[in-house]
Amino acid sequence: MVDVSTRTRRTGPDRPRTWAVVLAACTGQFLVVLDVSVVNVALPSMRTDLGLSAAGLQWVLNAYSIAFAGFMLLGGRAADLYGRKRMFLVGLGLFTAASLAGGLAQEGWQLLAARATQGLGAAVLAPATLTLLTAAVPEGPARTRAISTWMAVGAGGGAAGGLIGGVLTDTLSWRWVLLINVPIGVLVLIGAALRLAEGRAGERSRLDLLGAVLVTAGLASVAYGIVQTEESGWTAPATLLPLLAGLALIALFVLVEARTGKPLMPLRVLGARAVASANVAMFVIGSATFSMWYFMTVYAQNVLGYTALEAGLALMPTSVAIVLGSKCAPLLMVRTGAKNLALIGTAIAAAGFGWQSTMTSDGSYLTAVCLPGVLMMAGTGLAATPLATLAISGSAPGEAGLVSGLVNTSRTMGGALGLAVLSTVAAARTEGSADPVELTAGYALAFRTAGGVLLGGLLLMVLWLPRHRSVKR
């Protein structure tokens, strides 16, 4: 629930047009989510051009995701305290500059640094996009439709990443999967500076930078430890030390949040059943579904022999499926309620993952890529909107930005750790082999594991998610 009373009210020509808010918010969200997936089809070209290792390639994805997830709570709180428009502009400016730096990188470390900085900019930008919407649209059916549009655009960004990345990589170079953000970012910056009005939902206070650093460092350390298992195993010091250090940093983060006067994430926020359960569900779903784009892309290219462009085109039906799922969710919520729709969507996604795990090295496009991909992503789209609605409906006045950031953090943090775990599962099965049959067996095991995670999440949602009244039109 957004504290409407604290919003700056404007009349006449000074009042921001809703369409301008929706356009800016959705464009910002599209760019943020696009850059999670757009680099997938460009990874082989990046590796050849910059001499990246296999582990380095994974960190092209994880550097962005971990910085994004780790600092998003900070970004959400900053939007509440220092102004939604201001944080939107700061985040988009940093994201755009980092995209330019990444596109011009000459060394692997430069690319990884740029991707981490992109993630930091995205962490500031993404919560501001959702709070711009929730501040402009009152609670009720209109806000549910606005959230579903925001979710659909974000889902479309993630889904379209493969196609856009394939076109740019094949026709220009891998550098343009990053450079394409620059002209779009500049145009949106100019438009937002001119058309958006400032507003915030809380009094200015000190941000908990220590908490943000602790949670980000802890997450990065855990992800690094998981990645190390590919080469060193679970009991080697190279694996155990970063894992234990990461868990210690996360525990220290919780301790700091419990004791500081102005915490990054007030632990009382998780005392609301709707907020806590919806965010845990988002984490579980993200841990399984985020990796789908990565594994489907490498399967299409490394096993089926598709080019980058062909791989992007092959995933177009899944792109449409997740957008349609997100857009249909508000209508279906009227009949089913938020909890039931989240359960239905998760069950459909789990069925898709199970089907995908039957893939073979000579599979046909229809049954090995298209149809299971449609099920996976349609189910994800149906589940995400009711979970976000449940979480935001359970937030206190003045904390919409915080909860919005928490929703995005849960999904992205789950995705970063899920990719690390599932990549390790696949690598352990293939044992370094480049044989298409062995690669397929590794990818299939990753999909089977992700499907099991979704089934566990389904049980958790049955037991924990609260019942929520249907949304009335």
Side-chain angles (χ1 to χ4, degrees):
M1 184 182 299
V2 174
D3 186 6
V4 180
S5 64
T6 60
R7 279 205 323 255
T8 302
R9 299 183 180 275
R10 292 176 173 82
T11 58
D14 292 332
R15 185 171 184 173
R17 296 178 182 178
T18 302
W19 68 263
V21 174
V22 173
L23 180 61
C26 288
T27 304
Q29 180 69 359
F30 181 85
L31 290 176
V32 163
V33 181
L34 175 72
D35 269 65
V36 175
S37 62
V38 73
V39 301
N40 281 337
V41 295
L43 290 175
S45 298
M46 291 177 176
R47 182 175 187 176
T48 301
D49 198 13
L50 300 180
L52 290 166
S53 65
L57 279 184
Q58 188 171 320
W59 280 98
V60 173
L61 303 177
N62 274 345
Y64 180 87
S65 299
I66 290 172
F68 185 18
F71 284 103
M72 208 181 309
L73 290 175
L74 186 71
R77 197 60 182 147
D80 281 338
L81 298 178
Y82 297 116
R84 304 172 186 110
K85 175 182 176 179
R86 181 176 291 110
M87 290 301 102
F88 181 89
L89 296 176
V90 168
L92 183 56
L94 185 58
F95 180 89
T96 303
S99 298
L100 178 62
L104 299 178
Q106 300 300 310
E107 301 286 344
W109 69 267
Q110 294 172 351
L111 176 61
L112 297 184
R115 288 286 287 169
T117 307
Q118 261 193 315
L120 176 59
V124 177
L125 175 60
T129 64
L130 187 52
T131 51
L132 281 170
L133 279 183
T134 55
V137 183
E139 186 176 14
R143 181 183 292 176
T144 300
R145 289 193 295 271
I147 291 175
S148 74
T149 300
W150 179 86
M151 295 289 294
V153 169
L163 176 60
I164 294 171
V167 170
L168 294 174
T169 301
D170 273 4
T171 59
L172 297 171
S173 81
W174 67 263
R175 297 182 181 278
W176 280 95
V177 303
L178 300 174
L179 293 176
I180 192 64
N181 296 326
V182 178
I184 299 173
V186 170
L187 287 175
V188 176
L189 277 170
I190 295 171
L194 295 176
R195 300 299 302 176
L196 298 186
E198 189 56 277
R200 62 177 185 267
E203 297 180 358
R204 290 198 177 194
S205 63
R206 180 179 60 83
L207 283 174
D208 180 18
L209 184 59
L210 175 61
V213 171
L214 286 173
V215 71
T216 304
L219 177 62
S221 185
V222 169
Y224 179 78
I226 293 171
V227 171
Q228 286 297 103
T229 63
E230 292 186 29
E231 296 181 0
S232 306
W234 285 96
T235 59
T239 299
L240 290 177
L241 288 177
L243 281 176
L244 293 175
L247 293 174
L249 287 170
I250 292 172
L252 184 58
F253 164 74
V254 174
L255 181 63
V256 168
E257 298 307 284
R259 293 176 177 271
T260 187
K262 298 291 183 180
L264 176 65
M265 188 187 73
L267 298 182
R268 58 178 168 75
V269 170
L270 296 178
R273 180 180 174 186
V275 175
S277 59
N279 274 279
V280 172
M282 277 288 200
F283 180 92
V284 172
I285 290 175
S287 69
T289 59
F290 176 82
S291 61
M292 175 267 184
W293 302 108
Y294 173 76
F295 285 112
M296 291 292 276
T297 300
V298 294
Y299 171 63
Q301 291 183 274
N302 294 345
V303 176
L304 301 182
Y306 291 11
T307 66
L309 177 56
E310 288 170 344
L313 289 171
L315 295 178
M316 277 301 295
T318 62
S319 306
V320 174
I322 193 169
V323 173
L324 289 178
S326 299
K327 288 300 294 177
C328 290
L331 297 176
L332 295 175
M333 282 171 61
V334 175
R335 298 181 179 276
T336 66
K339 177 176 180 176
N340 287 338
L341 185 59
L343 296 175
I344 292 168
T346 304
I348 292 173
F353 274 86
W355 186 354
Q356 189 64 57
S357 71
T358 65
M359 62 208 293
T360 61
S361 60
D362 58 351
S364 69
Y365 167 69
L366 190 64
T367 59
V369 176
C370 180
L371 295 180
V374 166
L375 276 183
M376 285 186 278
M377 291 298 100
T380 301
L382 288 173
T385 296
L387 288 174
T389 302
L390 280 170
I392 293 172
S393 70
S395 64
E399 292 180 342
L402 174 64
V403 175
S404 300
L406 188 58
V407 168
N408 275 304
T409 297
S410 298
R411 180 172 54 183
T412 310
M413 187 180 295
L417 292 180
L419 177 60
V421 170
L422 294 173
S423 295
T424 302
V425 167
R429 174 62 181 81
T430 59
E431 296 182 341
S433 174
D435 179 69
V437 175
E438 291 300 315
L439 287 175
T440 302
Y443 302 151
L445 180 58
F447 279 108
R448 195 153 47 248
T449 304
V453 169
L454 285 176
L455 291 177
L458 188 65
L459 177 60
L460 180 146
M461 285 186 273
V462 168
L463 298 176
W464 195 9
L465 279 181
R467 291 283 173 186
H468 187 62
R469 56 180 168 79
S470 298
V471 179
K472 299 185 183 299
R473 288 179 288 186

